[in-house]
Amino acid sequence: MKRIICIFLALALVLCLSACNNSSTLNVIGNADSLVKLDDEKLKQKLNNQKLGWQLEEPEKGEEIAVVTMQTGEVIKIRFFPDEAPKAVYNFKHHALNGYYDGLTFHRVMKNFMIQGGSPDATGTDGVSVWDQQFEDEFADNLINLDGALSMANAGANTNGSQFFINCSDTPFEEEAWENYAQGFEVYKQNPETFAATYGKWLDMDKVGDDYKALYSEHGGNPHLDGAYSTDGTGHTVFGQVFEGMDNVYKLSQVETDPQNNKPITDVVIEKIEIVKYE
């Protein structure tokens, strides 16, 4: 039990940065000169009541998607969730259209966990939002950190900037993992304040249903990052999902890294990120 808690805490720490009323307001295709920067206060979360797991569906024709092209040729295509995470989506799209991410790297790569990018100096300690200030988390209980989920990296609650990561555990959950979460949650319930002071947050198993377990058991991912399901309401905003090129994400996650900081030995460079309409 202690080993599971320690692993959880280590993974959660690594992810930290040492570091509208409808989706039409997020239609931002254009060029850098024609973009109008929306006030973040106009970007309001709107939950669409889609069932858990809908993030795995294909995008609809005409929907704006991101096409990530790596310097080594790999291509990754991502759909967005502008109703549930309007600020995160708009921030990413705006940065992409301005070329902010072009030439940056996936500066932190952890096999069987995630690949993280969006840091201009590749240290994981920098990067700003399009509003030049941090913006709040946007959690939805029907968007979770399954493999392929595009999520905001942060340095704690409501500290989102420019950094993001793609979940790629490549490890479907087995029953033993859920039993470990259940055991930890029982310890948490005995004394939440003491548990939180010692271990931080945990997965709130009272909120976890069979559908949630089935998705992670089939697709893999990182449930301890789900803000809507954590005991303290913190986590990482899911705002997109890889729908094509997940094999390339797994490939990138296997590169050799420095064990001290998980930085790739050879830079993993994003050549460009384009925002286009899905055909």
Side-chain angles (χ1 to χ4, degrees), residues 148-251:
L150 173 68
S151 303
M152 292 300 301
N154 61 42
N158 305 312
T159 59
N160 300 293
S162 66
Q163 294 192 45
F164 61 87
F165 64 93
I166 302 176
N167 290 275
C168 50
S169 71
D170 199 20
T171 309
F173 266 67
E174 297 180 354
E175 187 58 36
E176 182 181 0
W178 296 118
E179 290 175 359
N180 287 329
Y181 273 124
Q183 291 172 11
F185 186 58
E186 288 303 315
V187 175
Y188 164 82
K189 288 195 297 184
Q190 291 173 17
N191 195 323
E193 291 185 359
T194 298
F195 184 97
T198 305
Y199 303 112
K201 66 179 180 180
W202 197 255
L203 189 64
D204 188 337
M205 295 302 290
D206 284 343
K207 297 179 180 178
V208 170
D210 290 341
D211 51 351
Y212 182 94
K213 290 182 180 179
L215 285 165
Y216 274 111
S217 295
E218 180 178 357
H219 300 283
N222 301 296
H224 63 279
L225 304 182
D226 292 334
Y229 292 85
S230 69
T231 52
D232 69 355
T234 65
H236 296 266
T237 299
V238 175
F239 66 100
Q241 179 75 33
V242 174
F243 68 90
E244 186 176 319
M246 193 61 201
D247 55 334
N248 290 326
V249 176
Y250 288 132
K251 177 183 175 182

